[in-house]
Amino acid sequence: CATMDPSSATVPKRTSSDPSSTAQYHYEYSFKFPDSLQRASRCLIALSGLDTRNNAVHRAIWDEFNGGKRNKKPIAYKNVPADHWYPKSSESKLTYEDYVPKGILKSSWMAKHTEELPAVVSFFFDMDWADTQWLERQTECVSKIQVIRSALQKRTTEIVIVLIQSTPPQPVADGSPASERAANLCMLCEIPRLNLYVLPFTDRPQGFIVRLEEAFYEKALSYYAGRIKTVRAHKDLLSKQSHQLVAIRHQFKIAFFTELKQEPSAALKLYRAAYNTLLSSLVMSEDLIMQFKMVAGFINYRICRLSFSAEEPVNTIEQFRRHVDRFAKETGPGRLAYEHAEWMSRQFSAFADLFSECVKRGLTAIQTQHPGVYYHHAALYALERKTLCLRLCRESALKAPSPLPNPPLPDMQYFGQRPWRKDLDEMQVTSAELKLDCIKIMQAIAYNVQHSWQIIPLLNNAIYHFKYFKSGRMTVYLKVLMGQEYYHIMEYEKSLILLRSVTELYRREQWWTLLRGILHTIIRCSYILGRVEEYFITAFEMIGMYIQLSKDEKMRIQKNLDAVFFSGHAPSPEPGVERNALEAAQDLWTNLTRTDQNMEFTVQASSIASCVECKSEFASPSFSADSAVQLTVHFWSSAPMPLVLSSIAVLFHQEEYNQWCFMEEEVTLEPSVVKSLHFSFPALYSSVGESLEVHAVKAVFGRKGVAMATLVWSNGRSEQFSLPLPDIKWDQVPLSIATQIQPHESKVDLSVEHRQPALLGEYYPVRVALRNREAGPSYDLSIHLTLREVLDETNPSASLFECVPPPSSEEQKGSQSLELLPPKLDPGERFEKTVYLWSNAPGVRELLVECFSSTKCKVQEDWEDIVHSCSKEELVTLKTIRPFEVTYKCLDRSLREVKSLHWDCPFLLVTDVLCISPWQLLITGSHFSLHKVVSQVGPSYSQVSEVELCKEDRASECHCFSVSSRPGEHLTSIAIGSYTLHWRRSSDPESCVHTTSIPLSPMPLKHLPFSVTTDIPPCGRLKKVLPVSYAVHNKTIFVQEFEAKMVASEAFMFSGKRLTRFRILPSSSHTLTFNLYPLATGHNLLPRLELSFLREPKPSDDIISSLLPHSVFIEPTSVSPSEVRQPLE
């Protein structure tokens, strides 16, 4: 349908596009569901005797019944006069033996019981119990009731009387005058006492009206129960073999009355039973098949409606599918096949309406099952009906009299009854001549129906639901169908809007065959409406390579474009345009081309399948600011004839460049030939460092003063489609819509010299050098040095210095960045500067060196010199390492490592310096910075001064220290201080001396109640007396008692007290003296002195042992020459 050509459906001229003016007869709408079937089932109650025009009280009562704001019962009220005539009652049959039915269901039966024949007639009459004219009013009321009863013709409709009284309500006792008058009135009116009601109309009558409505509702239900009983009695009289049609009728009536009785569950079961009976009795007869289909459709509709109300959507959908599948192939007579399509369309449309109402009430639909699916099927069957009518009914419509007699066909007594079967029962034979005449009239009626007015609402509803469920492609497809229908009914404006809205998707999806059919309709609409812009866009696409048309057709379209835009003439008519629209379109185009209207517009050529392709190409991905930018714009035309562009312009995102790329002269594009236009322009200094992008390419088609269409290719390119271009290499034409404007490349050479790694604590020299290689002088020079940490930029640990600060200076501090301002450099001139890096932590750092300069350049001879500010940068990675690894340890006097120190006890501090620098280093000195309670024992000098260390070399020194006790000092640990090395690189004697300080970690500090000092020679001689003395000092304020024991050694004999006890006064000492006699040479263990502290607290043996020497070196005794033995002869 999307590609359907309207010109192929040439039909006789219709009377009008307005559906209200077409031939609308009862038979033409015989397939439409009756309103009485589609409405919700409500009990019909007639209110009589209310003069709503002249009596305000009556009007208020009617408004309260008909539109009161309360939870009303399912009742339909009807205000009728007392003499209202009700439908005539048919004669009741006592037997069906000789009865031959003419149809299944009468066309007026449902409307009769839902709109005309009430279940209850309530007569309202103004009369009080104490009325002075009671007898006259009573007579009038009785006469009115007799009129109502005669109009009902012995029907079982309940008649009730409601007396409207103005007095307040009062209880009526038995035997009272009011009670007697009420009984007398009921007797005269021949109604039960319970059918008489009183309505006191006070300020608030709502309560009385609610009770009246309850009573009316109960009586209506009783009425419909009686009707069901009556129909069942008739049904029992039927014969299953000969009264199948009547059986279906009675089953439907029972279900219908049950639904009016407000029993939906029971009614649903009865409808299903009636539907099954109909299927089992189905007769495949051309005369009866439509009656079966119509009644089956009614029953199916009520089943689906009740199933939806019972919240059984799955069962409802299955029921409908079974229904349409069962009757889909029952097309009936071949010449009336369009009727079957209409019947199917009505089925789907009615079900879709039910489904839509259920969705509005809260049912959740899904993308594959929603009302739009069924509206779509209804529209497809309506389109099929239209097609069949055009094919089957054309001959009958041409031969039929014009106008058709009114009415052309009689009203049918039964639903689905054929006109040639009117007044005939199922046993009577149809006249063939009458049947043929009726079929021809039916075809003529169907042909003159404006089918599009029935198709468009269905498509519109389908579009709404598919759009809600985000089915984009289905929505577009339905819009195409809808646009085609609008074209058929000559609503060209709406057709153009709908079809134009879907072309974008068809281009994007490259559905060229479908797009071709749409463009045919669009160009006709734009021609008829005189839309120059739409006409141009469509024609420009149709003459291109993407739309497959004959060459002659494309040449015709292109000639029309040339005539409108270059010659100012009206285009030739489009094929397929209807005659009644052709003359108006020609006059419209003639006026458009002759008047001075400004026919200028802009077309986004990059968004359509244009016949002109465009590509923009920069000659290079980047251009320097001192060179010319080269841009080429390529065009290729797939039009069948040469195509002329009046002017061309290139627009950029930077508007300053728009003045350079334009061409005013005409450019002719030959078919299938690439046309390249070259542009050259200078790069502007304001866009240095930015991207220069083509914003659009504009080309004008047409002449000024005639008509001008400005084609715009956004981003300087056409939309790329997958269709290969024939016989050219357009795909190989490069596309480059952006280029980078690079700054003038600086010819000032920047070099950074250094010898890494840098050492921690040194002022590391970095030499920065510049050399000017520009053709002219460089000025405004500046060098920026920026230091940044690689791992932790928030915690800098290095600084830059322009010069090494003197050792005593503390005011000059380094920074993370430096700026150097060299003087102007002439060509070939050089500048050098050394800066220094100082680090207080090892790690990797980056030094960014940027050089900024200005110079003048000449791009072309006819252009002015351009001043360029250029820059150059170099990133240097600097690694800083430690020059030394220093370890240390504390020893006692026996050279054993100790883990703690003691007050007033000397200890040895041994430092070990390991050189890890790749450079040879010279240590110029070292010193200790000690805690105030730590003092050095012996001379203080550097033991590693003037020592040169290569990588992995070591240097050690050992010093003796003591922790002196002071009054008020109660330290438990002590930081001895720091060890400082002074050094420089050996390769640079003129470099400054650097300092590296190593903090000495704290040591535990303990207090001893005593101390021992030893007086022993540094060495002894074999077999020579070696005097040794031990002085024990009491450091407490108490008298202390000691026990001393000398343990013998194999290398010595000794004299002195082997075991002794002694006491020492506070701050006093006691000396133990021994004479040792060495028995062996070398390092020998001394006899061990064991001291026992006899009072608490007692120090450990390890502490006491650390205070005493353990060995001494014994030299051999010297030998005289005379004692040396002579060798044996």
Side-chain angles (χ1 to χ4, degrees):
C1 294
T3 60
M4 183 168 58
D5 189 352
S7 62
S8 62
T10 305
V11 298
K13 184 177 180 181
R14 299 184 175 93
T15 56
S16 173
S17 62
D18 186 356
S20 62
S21 63
T22 58
Q24 298 181 12
Y25 306 112
H26 182 272
Y27 185 81
E28 196 276 323
Y29 285 99
S30 60
F31 298 106
K32 185 178 179 181
F33 284 73
D35 293 337
S36 55
L37 181 74
Q38 298 184 68
R39 285 194 296 263
S41 297
R42 295 186 297 174
C43 304
L44 181 62
I45 296 178
L47 304 183
S48 181
L50 293 176
D51 186 4
T52 57
R53 292 185 178 181
N54 304 316
N55 194 318
V57 174
H58 291 190
R59 181 67 190 181
I61 293 173
W62 167 251
D63 291 341
E64 190 62 35
F65 271 108
N66 197 44
K69 296 180 180 180
R70 63 182 188 276
N71 295 325
K72 297 178 63 177
K73 297 291 183 180
I75 299 175
Y77 290 102
K78 185 176 181 181
N79 188 13
V80 296
D83 57 352
H84 177 73
W85 191 255
Y86 298 97
K88 182 179 179 181
S89 176
S90 59
E91 295 181 1
S92 179
K93 299 179 178 62
L94 300 178
T95 179
Y96 283 87
E97 293 181 0
D98 300 329
Y99 175 70
V100 181
K102 300 177 182 179
I104 300 177
L105 184 64
K106 288 187 178 181
S107 57
S108 61
W109 186 84
M110 286 184 289
K112 178 177 69 174
H113 287 279
T114 57
E115 301 173 6
E116 300 177 7
L117 185 60
V120 177
V121 176
S122 175
F123 177 67
F124 289 82
F125 193 71
D126 295 298
M127 187 165 60
D128 292 327
W129 297 123
D131 196 330
T132 57
Q133 298 179 349
W134 170 261
L135 295 177
E136 291 81 356
R137 300 291 294 170
Q138 178 179 268
T139 303
E140 182 181 356
C141 179
V142 171
S143 64
K144 294 286 186 181
I145 293 297
Q146 291 176 351
V147 171
I148 294 173
R149 183 173 283 111
S150 63
L152 288 174
Q153 303 173 5
K154 299 181 181 181
R155 291 188 178 273
T156 58
T157 301
E158 289 278 354
I159 301 176
V160 298
I161 299 175
V162 179
L163 300 180
I164 305 174
Q165 297 184 350
S166 59
T167 58
Q170 294 180 358
V172 179
D174 293 337
S176 62
S179 177
E180 293 178 357
R181 289 185 173 185
N184 189 33
L185 180 62
C186 293
M187 181 187 65
L188 295 176
C189 293
E190 300 179 3
I191 62 173
R193 183 74 178 267
L194 295 177
N195 285 13
L196 177 63
Y197 299 93
V198 175
L199 176 60
F201 194 83
T202 58
D203 295 337
R204 296 181 179 179
Q206 291 84 359
F208 299 101
I209 292 178
V210 169
R211 288 194 288 272
L212 276 178
E213 189 176 64
E214 289 283 351
F216 294 166
Y217 182 66
E218 293 296 331
K219 292 184 179 300
L221 297 183
S222 299
Y223 167 79
Y224 291 119
R227 296 297 301 164
I228 293 171
K229 186 176 180 181
T230 301
V231 176
R232 286 187 187 276
H234 285 277
K235 179 175 175 292
D236 294 339
L237 300 176
L238 301 178
S239 172
K240 294 183 179 181
Q241 287 76 20
S242 58
H243 300 116
Q244 295 177 347
L245 300 184
V246 184
I248 299 171
R249 178 194 309 168
H250 286 347
Q251 282 188 307
F252 178 81
K253 289 182 178 181
I254 293 172
F256 194 82
F257 282 131
T258 304
E259 193 175 359
L260 289 175
K261 193 185 172 186
Q262 307 305 315
E263 294 180 359
S265 299
L268 180 59
K269 294 179 181 179
L270 292 170
Y271 277 125
R272 287 174 175 167
Y275 189 82
N276 293 331
T277 302
L278 184 144
L279 293 181
S280 62
S281 306
L282 190 61
V283 178
M284 300 301 175
S285 168
E286 290 186 358
D287 296 337
L288 291 177
I289 185 61
M290 187 53 66
Q291 289 198 48
F292 280 101
K293 288 165 64 175
M294 289 293 294
V295 176
F298 295 164
I299 299 175
N300 174 75
Y301 180 85
R302 297 311 298 182
I303 291 174
C304 293
R305 186 181 187 93
L306 292 175
S307 297
F308 270 131
S309 300
E311 298 181 355
E312 297 177 357
V314 176
N315 295 336
T316 307
I317 295 173
E318 291 180 355
Q319 161 64 27
F320 180 75
R321 286 180 176 176
R322 288 194 299 268
H323 170 66
V324 294
D325 290 344
R326 177 61 184 84
F327 291 96
K329 296 181 181 180
E330 305 297 338
T331 58
R335 289 174 294 181
L336 300 177
Y338 60 87
E339 287 190 338
H340 175 72
E342 182 184 3
W343 182 83
M344 292 292 290
S345 176
R346 297 289 186 183
Q347 301 301 307
F348 278 98
S349 175
F351 183 77
D353 291 338
L354 289 177
F355 201 169
S356 180
E357 291 177 5
C358 195
V359 170
K360 291 179 182 178
R361 293 197 300 267
L363 176 66
T364 302
I366 59 177
Q367 194 172 29
T368 57
Q369 283 292 341
H370 59 81
V373 175
Y374 298 94
Y375 280 123
H376 173 222
H377 282 287
L380 292 181
Y381 277 110
L383 286 168
E384 182 182 352
R385 177 202 179 196
K386 175 183 176 181
T387 305
L388 291 173
C389 283
L390 295 176
R391 179 167 57 87
L392 300 175
C393 306
R394 178 183 175 85
E395 183 178 355
S396 298
L398 293 174
K399 295 180 179 179
S402 181
L404 291 173
N406 190 13
L409 292 174
D411 292 344
M412 297 298 105
Q413 186 178 3
Y414 293 89
F415 285 112
Q417 187 180 25
R418 297 300 189 184
W420 59 85
R421 296 291 300 176
K422 184 175 176 60
D423 299 329
L424 298 180
D425 56 42
E426 62 178 346
M427 304 301 295
Q428 294 175 311
V429 182
T430 305
S431 170
E433 183 180 356
L434 177 62
K435 179 178 180 179
L436 181 60
D437 293 340
C438 290
I439 289 177
K440 289 181 178 180
I441 296 176
M442 292 166 63
Q443 289 179 337
I445 294 173
Y447 190 83
N448 285 283
V449 171
Q450 193 59 271
H451 302 278
S452 296
W453 287 115
Q454 300 176 10
I455 298 171
I456 289 173
L458 297 173
L459 292 174
N460 191 39
N461 291 335
I463 289 172
Y464 169 80
H465 288 283
F466 276 107
K467 185 182 295 184
Y468 178 80
F469 285 96
K470 297 179 176 57
S471 301
R473 290 188 175 182
M474 195 66 189
T475 302
V476 170
Y477 164 67
L478 295 173
K479 284 183 178 180
V480 172
L481 297 180
M482 195 170 177
Q484 298 286 4
E485 293 306 314
Y486 273 124
Y487 179 83
H488 295 158
I489 59 176
M490 294 179 287
E491 291 285 345
Y492 303 114
E493 182 75 27
K494 296 179 181 179
S495 176
L496 183 62
I497 293 173
L498 281 171
L499 295 180
R500 179 56 68 185
S501 66
V502 305
T503 54
E504 181 181 357
L505 175 65
Y506 279 36
R507 293 190 203 99
R508 186 170 63 249
E509 299 293 341
Q510 302 183 25
W511 297 335
W512 304 118
T513 304
L514 301 180
L515 181 62
R516 179 183 61 190
I518 294 175
L519 293 180
H520 273 296
T521 306
I522 292 176
I523 198 170
R524 293 191 189 100
C525 291
S526 57
Y527 175 78
I528 294 171
L529 296 173
R531 300 293 178 82
V532 181
E533 181 177 351
E534 295 291 342
Y535 185 83
F536 172 80
I537 294 174
T538 309
F540 223 62
E541 286 190 288
M542 295 181 72
I543 65 176
M545 64 174 180
Y546 299 104
I547 307 302
Q548 300 298 317
L549 296 175
S550 65
K551 186 175 181 180
D552 294 340
E553 179 67 11
K554 290 189 176 184
M555 292 178 66
R556 182 192 66 80
I557 296 174
Q558 187 172 357
K559 289 178 181 179
N560 280 347
L561 288 178
D562 293 340
V564 174
F565 287 86
F566 288 95
S567 304
H569 297 157
S572 61
E574 291 297 321
V577 177
E578 294 186 354
R579 294 180 181 179
N580 56 349
L582 183 60
E583 296 179 0
Q586 289 176 333
D587 295 340
L588 181 60
W589 279 96
T590 302
N591 295 332
L592 285 174
T593 54
R594 288 181 179 178
T595 58
D596 296 332
Q597 295 185 15
N598 187 18
M599 292 195 297
E600 297 182 4
F601 51 87
T602 301
V603 177
Q604 293 296 329
S606 58
S607 62
I608 64 175
S610 172
C611 64
V612 178
E613 303 283 338
C614 174
K615 286 185 180 180
S616 302
E617 177 197 0
F618 282 102
S620 174
S622 63
F623 291 91
S624 176
D626 56 359
S627 62
V629 180
Q630 304 293 331
L631 174 65
T632 303
V633 180
H634 306 281
F635 291 98
W636 180 81
S637 172
S638 58
M641 299 188 301
L643 191 143
V644 179
L645 301 179
S646 302
S647 63
I648 295 172
V650 182
L651 304 181
F652 299 88
H653 284 286
Q654 295 86 343
E655 297 181 358
E656 298 83 359
Y657 289 94
N658 292 346
Q659 58 180 324
W660 296 99
C661 301
F662 61 91
M663 184 178 293
E664 295 292 343
E665 60 270 17
E666 291 185 351
V667 176
T668 301
L669 304 181
E670 297 294 335
S672 302
V673 176
V674 178
K675 182 72 174 180
S676 299
L677 306 178
H678 304 280
F679 300 94
S680 178
F681 52 93
L684 301 179
Y685 177 73
S686 59
S687 59
V688 170
E690 298 179 356
S691 176
L692 178 60
E693 298 181 12
V694 176
H695 174 63
V697 174
K698 290 186 176 181
V700 176
F701 180 84
R703 289 180 180 172
K704 191 172 184 61
V706 181
M708 295 176 61
T710 302
L711 301 170
V712 179
W713 288 274
S714 299
N715 298 324
R717 56 173 294 178
S718 302
E719 182 69 26
Q720 296 298 312
F721 300 113
S722 61
L723 188 65
L725 304 182
D727 301 330
I728 70 162
K729 296 183 179 179
W730 178 253
D731 291 339
Q732 283 72 39
V733 174
L735 174 67
S736 175
I737 63 173
T739 187
Q740 194 74 20
I741 304 299
Q742 301 289 352
H744 167 72
E745 185 177 356
S746 177
K747 296 181 181 178
V748 177
D749 293 338
L750 171 65
S751 61
V752 181
E753 301 174 0
H754 64 103
R755 296 181 65 193
Q756 65 173 344
L759 300 179
L760 187 65
E762 76 165 334
Y763 288 92
Y764 180 66
V766 178
R767 180 177 297 174
V768 181
L770 299 180
R771 182 182 178 84
N772 183 14
R773 293 193 300 104
E774 296 281 0
S778 295
Y779 51 92
D780 294 338
L781 288 164
S782 64
I783 302 175
H784 294 269
L785 297 97
T786 305
L787 186 66
R788 57 194 182 195
E789 300 285 340
V790 174
L791 298 179
D792 188 5
E793 296 183 3
T794 61
N795 188 19
S797 59
S799 302
L800 292 172
F801 295 86
E802 284 195 56
C803 59
V804 178
S808 60
S809 175
E810 296 182 357
E811 297 181 358
Q812 185 174 1
K813 297 182 179 180
S815 62
Q816 297 296 304
S817 61
L818 286 179
E819 183 179 7
L820 307 179
L821 300 175
K824 183 177 74 170
L825 296 180
D826 292 327
E829 193 173 355
R830 183 180 176 86
F831 169 80
E832 294 183 355
K833 177 67 176 178
T834 301
V835 297
Y836 298 90
L837 168 70
W838 183 85
S839 307
N840 61 1
V844 179
R845 298 167 182 84
E846 292 180 345
L847 179 62
L848 179 63
V849 183
E850 299 173 292
C851 176
F852 300 93
S853 62
S854 298
T855 187
K856 291 184 178 181
C857 298
K858 181 176 286 296
V859 180
Q860 290 186 7
E861 292 298 332
D862 54 343
W863 294 351
E864 296 181 357
D865 291 347
I866 300 176
V867 178
H868 291 286
S869 295
C870 44
S871 63
K872 196 173 256 189
E873 65 179 35
E874 186 169 348
L875 185 64
V876 180
T877 301
L878 302 175
K879 183 179 181 182
T880 304
I881 64 174
R882 298 180 185 273
F884 308 103
E885 280 190 3
V886 179
T887 59
Y888 62 92
K889 57 185 176 179
C890 295
L891 307 176
D892 59 13
R893 286 177 294 180
S894 299
L895 301 182
R896 293 181 300 179
E897 186 175 359
V898 296
K899 300 300 182 182
S900 61
L901 304 179
H902 303 91
W903 288 98
D904 298 323
C905 292
F907 64 92
L908 299 178
L909 180 62
V910 179
T911 59
D912 182 70
V913 180
L914 172 64
C915 179
I916 59 176
S917 168
W919 320 112
Q920 185 176 354
L921 304 180
L922 173 65
I923 300 178
T924 60
S926 65
H927 71 275
F928 289 90
S929 299
L930 302 175
H931 192 273
K932 61 182 180 179
V933 298
V934 180
S935 59
Q936 188 165 0
V937 179
S940 175
Y941 63 93
S942 175
Q943 300 173 4
V944 293
S945 179
E946 301 303 325
V947 173
E948 288 189 358
L949 298 177
C950 296
K951 188 175 182 180
E952 303 299 333
D953 288 348
R954 292 178 180 272
S956 301
E957 56 181 324
C958 180
H959 295 270
C960 184
F961 300 95
S962 176
V963 182
S964 302
S965 61
R966 294 184 181 182
E969 293 287 352
H970 302 286
L971 301 176
T972 59
S973 64
I974 185 171
I976 300 173
S978 62
Y979 178 55
T980 303
L981 290 172
H982 304 279
W983 57 275
R984 63 176 175 82
R985 298 194 185 197
S986 300
S987 59
D988 189 4
E990 297 181 358
S991 63
C992 61
V993 177
H994 311 296
T995 301
T996 299
S997 295
I998 298 92
L1000 304 177
S1001 59
M1003 295 285 290
L1005 184 60
K1006 297 181 179 180
H1007 179 77
L1008 290 179
F1010 67 94
S1011 64
V1012 180
T1013 58
T1014 305
D1015 184 10
I1016 183 172
C1019 61
R1021 285 184 177 273
L1022 185 65
K1023 298 181 181 180
K1024 297 293 183 179
V1025 175
L1026 180 67
V1028 177
S1029 63
Y1030 300 93
V1032 182
H1033 304 273
N1034 182 7
K1035 298 166 63 175
T1036 66
I1037 59 175
F1038 305 103
V1039 177
Q1040 299 293 343
E1041 185 176 359
F1042 295 87
E1043 181 183 82
K1045 180 181 179 181
M1046 181 65 79
V1047 180
S1049 172
E1050 295 181 356
F1052 295 92
M1053 293 187 300
F1054 68 92
S1055 64
K1057 294 182 179 180
R1058 184 181 184 89
L1059 179 65
T1060 180
R1061 284 190 177 186
F1062 53 89
R1063 292 180 180 178
I1064 305 176
L1065 297 175
S1067 302
S1068 300
S1069 62
H1070 178 76
T1071 302
L1072 300 175
T1073 304
F1074 299 91
N1075 291 324
L1076 304 181
Y1077 186 77
L1079 300 178
T1081 60
H1083 281 285
N1084 296 324
L1085 292 176
L1086 292 171
R1088 187 173 74 254
L1089 177 64
E1090 295 181 353
L1091 282 176
S1092 299
F1093 195 67
L1094 301 180
R1095 293 180 181 269
E1096 296 292 340
K1098 294 182 179 181
S1100 64
D1101 294 337
D1102 292 338
I1103 295 176
I1104 298 175
S1105 177
S1106 65
L1107 301 177
L1108 301 175
H1110 293 79
S1111 63
V1112 68
F1113 184 77
I1114 302 300
E1115 298 176 348
T1117 306
S1118 59
V1119 181
S1120 61
S1122 59
E1123 295 179 353
V1124 177
R1125 291 185 180 184
Q1126 297 296 328
L1128 296 176
E1129 296 180 358

